[in-house]
Amino acid sequence: MVSRGRLLLLAAAVAVAACVAAGQGSPGVMVVPQPRAVVAGGGSVRVGKGVTLLDSYKEALNDKDAAEYIENAFQRCVRNTMKAQDGLHAWTLSLHPEIQYQVNTTVVAPTATVSSVRVVLGKQPFPALDVGVDESYTVQVNNEEITLNASTVWGVLHAFETVAQLINWDGKSFTIQHTPLLITDAPRYPWRGMLVDTARHFIPLDKLKQLVDGLSAMKFNVLHLHLTDAQSFPFEVSSYKELSGKGAFDPNHAVYTHDDMSALIEHARSRGMVVMPEFDLPGHTASWGLGYPGVTASCWDYLNAHQPDYPENG
């Protein structure tokens, strides 16, 4: 199910984007980040609660992982988004009157119901995930269906995140406004990442996965992990166990194993994100020397220099 945190993140991002995008693009169509182009109509459609994902896209795929990524994105961004709001009172963001009109709220009664989502892929739909891969996509909504068109699976994942933002619950039904609607989008920057310092502030694996969920909702594509620094070495290296055994804050509870990293990398990949682990070198390596003193230079003892009884502080 979509978490409360994910919904709040989406709501906050829409509010910020509304302030930035006021007067730009098509009034009423709010998507974060702002798409390259939006062509909006004056109607609306109802999204059926039993909306399904057509499986015709599987003809272009020979990889089981790719098909699962698409199926899970549909479940996460469409079905779970609707399930989390179904039955709630109608709600909307409280914004300044000058930008309130831009939010995807119900302003026109729907005249049709769409019950399916179609995915159309290119001829090479599953390239290796890396910075610079084709992530472009289009989302088209008409009275018959929602169509996501992308050259790659990675573009489709972003398209589903856009659909999640378009679906509005008005207290009675789910709608998508401003139809017929065509959104054309591609990243402005190939690297869209966040750096997380796990050397100085250990973050449990489940929290890192939650962070990936939030970042992917905003179409980020890189999680940069600053894994090690002078303060700690929280990663288990099987051939040099003392690196984390003596270099971590807590070798029993504040260390990432190989399985942890593999799970995080796969979780991120299924959402179109690359994990970039960083081992800080050649400086910032005091934590390495705690387990293997010979690998670091014998220089100023900055691990203990803050202590009141350090000789040079006397």
Side-chain angles (χ1 to χ4, degrees), residues 116-182:
S116 61
V117 177
R118 183 182 301 275
V119 171
V120 180
L121 290 164
K123 294 182 179 181
Q124 295 180 323
F126 200 42
L129 178 61
D130 202 354
V131 174
V133 72
D134 189 345
E135 300 172 87
S136 62
Y137 69 89
T138 65
V139 173
Q140 185 172 5
V141 185
N142 54 36
N143 287 349
E144 285 75 44
E145 63 185 12
I146 301 170
T147 303
L148 314 183
N149 196 316
S151 296
T152 69
V153 169
W154 316 119
V156 171
L157 299 183
H158 295 321
F160 271 118
E161 295 292 356
T162 290
V163 172
Q165 297 181 41
L166 293 174
I167 297 175
N168 172 65
W169 170 251
D170 63 9
K172 297 180 181 179
S173 61
F174 295 97
T175 68
I176 295 179
Q177 296 290 305
H178 309 287
T179 59
L181 177 63
L182 174 62

Side-chain angles (χ1 to χ4, degrees), residues 5-82:
R6 179 182 173 89
L7 289 174
L8 290 175
L9 175 61
L10 286 169
V14 169
V16 172
C19 297
V20 174
Q24 303 178 19
S26 296
V29 180
M30 287 305 308
V31 174
V32 182
Q34 185 180 4
R36 292 295 184 94
V38 178
V39 179
S44 75
V45 296
R46 183 182 298 104
V47 181
K49 293 183 180 181
V51 61
T52 59
L53 174 64
L54 302 178
D55 62 2
S56 55
Y57 68 91
K58 293 182 179 180
E59 298 174 1
L61 294 174
N62 295 317
D63 193 289
K64 181 180 178 182
D65 286 347
E68 288 183 354
Y69 292 169
I70 291 178
E71 292 167 4
N72 291 340
F74 168 74
Q75 186 68 35
R76 182 175 67 252
C77 297
V78 179
R79 298 300 295 272
N80 288 358
T81 295
M82 296 170 67

Side-chain angles (χ1 to χ4, degrees), residues 205-279:
L205 177 63
D206 62 329
K207 297 302 180 184
L208 287 176
K209 288 182 176 180
Q210 289 179 16
L211 176 61
V212 166
D213 292 345
L215 292 174
S216 64
M218 296 297 101
K219 305 182 179 73
F220 280 63
N221 68 336
V222 177
L223 176 64
H224 177 177
L225 289 181
H226 185 71
L227 267 178
T228 68
D229 210 297
Q231 288 72 25
S232 76
F233 195 105
F235 180 70
E236 182 182 84
V237 180
S238 57
S239 53
Y240 296 96
K241 290 187 177 295
E242 291 304 306
L243 284 172
S244 58
K246 293 185 177 179
F249 284 122
D250 183 339
N252 297 316
H253 302 100
V255 172
Y256 302 111
T257 67
H258 282 255
D259 288 344
D260 290 337
M261 282 294 109
S262 295
L264 179 62
I265 290 170
E266 176 56 26
H267 185 82
R269 184 172 184 260
S270 70
R271 286 153 176 76
M273 291 188 63
V274 175
V275 176
M276 193 197 81
E278 175 196 353
F279 293 83

